[in-house]
Amino acid sequence: MKLILILLLISFVLSTNSTLKIKGLDWWQQEVIYQIYPRSFKDSNNDGIGDLRGIYQKLTYLKSLGVGCIWLSPILKSPMADFGYDVSNFREIDPIFGTMDDFDMLIRKARKLGLKVIMDYVPNHTSEKHEWFIKSVERIPPYTDYYIWRDAKYQNGKRYPPNNWLSNFGKSAWEWNEKRNQYYFHQFGVQQPDLNYRNPVVFEEMKNNVIFWLDKGIDGLRIDSVDYLYESEEFLDEPPSHVDGVSAEEYAYLNHTYTRFQPENIALIQTWREVFDRYSARGSTKFMVTEAYGKAEEVIKFFGISKRLGAHFPFNFLFITNVNKESNAIALRDIIQNWYKHMPHYGWGNWVIGNHDNPRPATRYGHFLVDGLHMLQMLLPGTAIVYNGDELGMEDTFIRWDQTVDPKALNAGPLKYQEFSRDGCRTPFQWDDTENSGFTKSLHTWLPVNPDYWRVNVKSELKNKKELITHLEIFRELVQLRKNIVFQRGDLNLYVLSNWVLAVTRSFNDHATYAIIVNLGSEITISNLYEKRPSLPRKMSVVIPSINSNYLKGHIINTNSIVLRPKASVVLTTSEEDWDIKPNIITHEDDNYKIY
């Protein structure tokens, strides 16, 4: 009987009618995780680049959003060939962002505000400027085999790489080093040599770096590119993908059967999870999330296999990789079902619609669909991970070739750079309508500010007239709504009301039932939810409308004839009394945000 009382039932009523039982929810399951790209968030010293003190200044804004955890993209010592993803020292803060004292100060203030802090850990490779690589080139023990070195192949007196493996940034993944007279392997840029995890000393070094940051008091790590950590020991050529229109130097030209998703990657993450759990036993849970793009059945293995736990969850990128402007309601339903279908019984869901590596949601799906996607992201079972600026509906900035700084785009050249560039989604955060959007007082920013900053910014969306709805207002109310027990522990039902209209309902015991209706199409729709779920009342009230829905909070809607404009969406409830959302009211005064 006691066991039954401590177990919470979440019933996902999907095509398989599967049921998942979980224990009481931990902080990482309840809170929204907010990703900060430090270079672009807030510049405190007016050099045109964001920094830790800038983040410190804006912590109260983040608190006012209702998020419970901030995730910092790379801030460690780096030559910045790939803007922090080429680490030259895993235990130092890069001076561009500040000092270790600045980091400690940020952690202390975040803790006072009740915010958790996690940070990026980039374990697949280091910078070529790292002491380890410099000594490895010189064959100085024990660094000789810290990286993956191979002899050249020779044919008719000409030197060739060991095999056909390609870099994620394009061209060969092998770079010749004259001093060592060998090739080194790099899955990403030539300045980012891959570590050799088959060397037990490297394995321990990288695990000890994890321990260092857990000792510093962070609440967790986001482990970057976990699908690349190991490569096949046989070094065989990879087979062609036969993808149309892809050149022989582009990464997509090959199927990466020997360089991605090797079983050893999962074993490594399982070993690190044991470290996280030891620290978690001392108090609050230390959280580990992994990043890998791939099929659900591949990515989900990072939850752990063979009865050993891996990550608390691997990022779910299906809304990024499998959804576009032409995706209909059936496609979205199938994507949602597919994740839960492959997720292990002990797993926990999560939803990502934007990050620093992909065009922003407002760019990919259109400005008016942003609210509907946030409704799904926030109100589906699982954790929501949000990229800074998406709460405002920020769009990608067009970056000319002469302004391009992303190495992935630069490698593609001036004819194809826009296809590969990540610069557009990394431009400065838009705080207000002053020069450079309040991001900096410098005349120049490391990337140009979006020209629409005068209308899309925190200040304007907060000071908008009360009768107008903004993306920011909707976002904050969704964050509060998801704290309701229905969304924390309730069931899930998915309904395709028409080819372009998806409905989601959430219920829990005797609490109010909620429905999310999203019109993905380009025409006005009239949908009948009552027909799909007759247990619902004939009328429900609007809890949260999208900016283009033509509804206001409290409007009563007939569930058998729900009218939605193109790309519009609404959250409905069966009981207004159960809606107890009281988002914080914040004011904008000289970059200080006050919480009342």
Side-chain angles (χ1 to χ4, degrees), residues 26-29 219 221 269 273 276-277 280 285-290 302-304 309-314 346-350:
D26 207 339
W27 69 261
W28 54 271
Q29 297 170 308
D219 297 291
L221 291 172
I269 294 301
R273 174 61 185 268
F276 279 77
D277 285 349
S280 298
T285 297
K286 300 299 182 181
F287 168 68
M288 177 171 61
V289 57
T290 54
F302 287 100
F303 271 115
L309 293 176
H312 288 86
F313 58 70
Y346 54 82
W348 180 256
N350 72 95

Side-chain angles (χ1 to χ4, degrees), residues 137 149 159 175-184:
V137 169
W149 295 96
R159 185 183 69 230
E175 183 73 7
W176 180 253
N177 184 273
E178 290 285 353
K179 197 163 193 177
R180 179 152 167 155
N181 201 36
Q182 280 186 310
Y183 281 99
Y184 66 86

Side-chain angles (χ1 to χ4, degrees), residues 255-310:
N255 282 329
H256 305 286
T257 52
Y258 301 128
T259 55
R260 293 187 67 203
F261 291 108
Q262 303 303 299
E264 295 93 333
N265 298 341
I266 298 164
L268 182 146
I269 294 301
Q270 289 174 318
T271 299
W272 287 359
R273 174 61 185 268
E274 292 167 2
V275 174
F276 279 77
D277 285 349
R278 287 201 300 272
Y279 277 80
S280 298
R282 303 175 186 178
S284 177
T285 297
K286 300 299 182 181
F287 168 68
M288 177 171 61
V289 57
T290 54
E291 183 226 26
Y293 288 86
K295 298 176 182 178
E297 55 267 33
E298 295 174 321
V299 172
I300 273 175
K301 290 179 181 178
F302 287 100
F303 271 115
I305 54 177
S306 302
K307 298 182 180 179
R308 287 182 67 197
L309 293 176

Side-chain angles (χ1 to χ4, degrees), residues 109 134 207 283 503 588 591:
K109 183 173 181 181
I134 294 170
K207 184 176 74 173
H588 183 283
D591 292 332

Side-chain angles (χ1 to χ4, degrees), residues 142-157:
Y143 305 101
T144 306
D145 296 319
Y146 264 42
Y147 298 85
I148 299 168
W149 295 96
R150 302 289 287 181
D151 292 333
K153 288 182 178 179
Y154 288 91
Q155 186 175 359
N156 298 324

Side-chain angles (χ1 to χ4, degrees), residues 101-130:
D101 286 341
D102 293 331
F103 179 79
D104 292 339
M105 182 175 68
L106 175 64
I107 294 288
R108 287 194 298 271
K109 183 173 181 181
R111 190 165 288 135
K112 286 180 181 178
L113 291 171
L115 295 170
K116 304 287 186 181
V117 179
I118 66 175
M119 57 188 291
D120 258 1
Y121 185 47
V122 186
N124 177 69
H125 48 264
T126 71
S127 164
E128 63 178 347
K129 305 296 185 184
H130 198 294

Side-chain angles (χ1 to χ4, degrees), residues 196-230:
N196 176 18
Y197 276 94
R198 299 190 188 281
N199 181 336
V201 182
V202 172
F203 192 99
E204 286 301 309
E205 289 264 31
M206 297 305 285
K207 184 176 74 173
N208 289 337
N209 287 330
V210 170
I211 291 171
F212 173 84
W213 287 104
L214 292 176
D215 283 338
K216 288 291 294 181
I218 63 167
D219 297 291
L221 291 172
R222 174 261 198 188
I223 314 297
D224 179 74
S225 301
V226 292
D227 47 326
Y228 295 96
L229 297 175
Y230 281 84

Side-chain angles (χ1 to χ4, degrees), residues 368-369 500-501 517-526 546-551 562-570:
F368 289 114
L369 194 54
W500 294 100
V501 179
I517 320 294
V518 181
N519 179 10
L520 302 163
S522 303
E523 295 83 25
I524 293 177
T525 59
I526 303 176
S546 68
I547 61 172
N548 56 331
S549 70
N550 202 32
Y551 294 113
I562 302 171
V563 180
L564 282 179
R565 290 173 172 173
K567 313 297 182 184
S569 51
V570 289

